Amino acid sequence: MKLGVVGLPNVGKSTLFNAITKAGAQAENYPFCTIEPNTGVVMVPDHRLDVLADMYHPKKVTPTTIEFVDIAGLVKGASRGEGLGNKFLSHIREVDAIVHVVRCFENENIIHVDGSIDPARDIETINLELIFADMDTVSRRKEKALRSFRGGDKRSGTEVDLAERIYAHLESGKPARTCEVSEEEQEILDGWFLLTTKPVIYAANIAEDDLGKEIGEIPELKPVSDIARSENAELIVISAAIEEEIAQMSAEEKEEFLEELGIGQSGLDRLITACYRLLGLISFLTAGEDECRAWTITQGTKAPQAAGKIHTDFERGFIRAEVVPFDTLVANGSMNACREKGLIRSEGKDYVMKDGDIVLFRFNV
C-alpha cells in the first residue's frame, strides 16, 4: 500500500512525513525544498503479533508495512505546469490514497504561500489543481471514445456518456469520487486513473497547545471537518511538531507521553487505522517457530487469494485453510489446545477471510 502525502508548501507536510517515517526528508521554511518525492516504509503496529511472539518465540516477527511518499508542495497552476506541477501530479497518480495535510495553526515564523491561514481555501487550491488535471484527462478519454463510437463500437457510447457526466461533475468543483456511478461505469472509471477518484484522508495539522481539544474548540478545524464529511473522506487531527517529538522516543517514553497528553494513540497509529478503514483493508496472521507475520488484504478476499499473498503456489495448489480467530487462540493458550477442543475450522475455497484470522494453508502443487 502506497500513500501520497500532499499539501501546500509550509503546511507541515514534510515535518509530518519525517516524524512518521524517520526518513529525514527536507523540511525547510521555503517552498519547493522537496522536489523529488521522498519515500519511507512504516511498519504497521499490531499488538496481536506481540502476543503471538510471546507464544511461539519465533526466529522472526514480520509486521505488514505501508509506504509513504512525500510529494512536493503543490501550488496554484500546478495542473498547467506551475511549480514543476506536472511532475508532482504524476507522483500523485502512482499512489493508492492521498494524505492531504492542511495547516490549522498560526505561526508568524512559518510563512504561508498565500499570506494567511485559511484551511478551506488551501484545500480548494489543491483539489482544484487535481480537478483541472482530471478534466483534461476526461476530455481526452471522451475524444478517444467518440472516435470508437463513430467507428461502430457501441460500448464506447457508455464511455462517452460517462465522460460527459464526470466532466460536468468536475466542472462544478467536485472530485470524481463523489459522483454516483454504476458498476459498469466504475470499471471504466478505474481505467482512467483519475487523481480525484483516489481516497483521501485530511490530516489537520494543529498547534501543539490545541492537541486534545474538541473540533468545535479550534476554529480552523470546522471547515476541514465539513469538507471531509461532504466528500466521505477521513479526517485525523494531528500536531506534526508533537509527532516529531514522539518519533525520537523509546516505546516506554512514547506510551507515557501519550498518556500525559490524554490522546491514547500517536498520529501515525491513527493515520494507519484511518487508511485501513478508508481502503477497506484487514490483516490475517500466520504463526510458527520460524516466523510470526501479518498480511494485509482487502475485505472480502477469499482464502485462496489470501494464500496467494504468501506465495502464488499456495493459491494455485490451494486445498484448504485451517483457521482459528486470534481471540480464540489467546483464550485457549495454544494452537494445540484449540485443535484438541475442535476450535480450528477447516475452510474451503469460498471462505471469506476475517480480520485477525490465524491461518495455516494446506496446498499441493
Side-chain angles (χ1 to χ4, degrees):
M1 177 168 53
K2 189 185 279 192
L3 302 177
V5 185
V6 307
L8 291 173
N10 299 341
V11 296
K13 179 178 58 63
S14 292
T15 301
L16 177 64
F17 173 83
N18 288 341
I20 60 181
T21 65
K22 299 182 187 175
Q26 287 176 291
E28 302 297 336
N29 184 18
Y30 57 90
F32 306 121
C33 71
T34 312
I35 294 175
E36 289 303 320
N38 294 285
T39 60
V41 177
V42 173
M43 292 184 294
V44 175
D46 193 331
H47 76 282
R48 297 172 298 196
L49 277 178
D50 298 332
V51 174
L52 292 175
D54 286 341
M55 277 187 182
Y56 286 89
H57 305 290
K59 295 171 189 169
K60 192 162 64 164
V61 176
T62 310
T64 188
T65 58
I66 292 178
E67 184 178 350
F68 284 91
V69 183
D70 179 26
I71 296 166
L74 287 167
V75 292
K76 247 177 222 173
S79 57
R80 301 187 303 276
E82 294 291 329
L84 304 177
N86 292 331
K87 199 172 187 181
F88 301 162
L89 293 171
S90 71
H91 295 150
I92 296 171
R93 215 174 287 282
E94 293 166 9
V95 302
D96 299 308
I98 294 169
V99 179
H100 184 162
V101 182
V102 187
R103 180 171 165 180
C104 296
F105 66 91
E106 295 277 359
N107 187 327
E108 60 185 23
N109 297 317
I110 302 175
I111 59 171
H112 189 291
V113 286
D114 288 327
S116 63
I117 304 303
D118 185 340
R121 178 202 60 207
D122 293 355
I123 288 172
E124 184 181 51
T125 297
I126 298 281
N127 284 352
L128 283 177
E129 293 310 320
L130 303 185
I131 284 169
F132 290 149
D134 279 352
M135 286 170 71
D136 188 44
T137 301
V138 171
S139 290
R140 291 199 305 272
R141 289 287 182 171
K142 181 186 170 184
E143 288 305 313
K144 186 179 176 185
L146 266 173
R147 287 196 296 273
S148 299
F149 184 61
R150 287 169 187 149
D153 179 9
K154 290 185 179 177
R155 189 175 183 272
S156 294
T158 304
E159 201 165 338
V160 172
D161 291 341
L162 177 63
E164 287 175 349
R165 207 162 86 253
I166 294 292
Y167 191 92
H169 191 79
L170 291 166
E171 202 170 29
S172 71
K174 297 172 186 170
R177 64 182 170 274
T178 62
C179 187
E180 286 189 25
V181 293
S182 67
E183 277 186 35
E184 183 190 359
E185 289 172 332
Q186 187 62 56
E187 202 175 308
I188 295 168
L189 200 55
D190 289 345
W192 292 356
F193 303 105
L194 300 182
L195 300 170
T196 65
T197 55
K198 293 185 183 296
V200 171
I201 297 169
Y202 287 107
N205 186 14
I206 61 172
E208 297 171 57
D209 294 344
D210 287 335
L211 207 59
K213 290 182 182 177
E214 296 295 322
I215 286 177
E217 296 177 84
I218 307 170
E220 294 87 355
L221 269 184
K222 188 170 186 316
V224 185
S225 175
D226 291 345
I227 290 166
R229 197 179 304 112
S230 72
E231 295 180 5
N232 293 321
E234 289 278 343
L235 168 68
I236 67 159
V237 179
I238 50 132
S239 166
I242 291 287
E243 293 302 314
E244 202 168 27
E245 282 185 53
I246 291 171
Q248 313 305 320
M249 297 178 182
S250 67
E252 294 77 18
E253 288 172 329
K254 174 183 164 183
E255 198 174 327
E256 280 178 33
F257 186 62
L258 291 173
E259 204 172 308
E260 279 175 33
L261 290 172
I263 56 174
Q265 282 185 309
S266 69
L268 172 60
D269 291 349
R270 285 182 286 117
L271 182 55
I272 288 171
T273 301
C275 292
Y276 268 63
R277 194 164 52 235
L278 187 68
L279 296 172
L281 302 175
I282 60 172
S283 295
F284 72 89
L285 305 117
T286 51
E289 289 178 4
D290 284 333
E291 183 181 33
C292 290
R293 183 164 181 168
W295 306 83
T296 299
I297 54 174
T298 54
Q299 285 175 352
T301 298
K302 292 187 176 178
Q305 287 69 51
K309 286 283 289 184
I310 300 174
H311 197 287
T312 51
D313 284 351
F314 284 28
E315 181 175 358
R316 193 156 51 93
F318 179 87
I319 299 171
R320 68 180 184 275
E322 295 178 3
V323 182
V324 62
F326 173 78
D327 290 342
T328 302
L329 175 64
V330 171
N332 289 275
S334 72
M335 197 65 92
N336 284 339
C338 290
R339 199 177 297 279
E340 285 168 13
K341 294 177 183 177
L343 297 172
I344 296 177
R345 305 190 312 271
S346 182
E347 301 286 2
K349 292 183 177 181
D350 291 329
Y351 176 67
V352 176
M353 300 291 292
K354 294 179 178 58
D355 187 52
D357 276 348
I358 297 167
V359 194
L360 174 64
F361 291 109
R362 299 290 185 188
F363 70 103
N364 181 28
V365 176

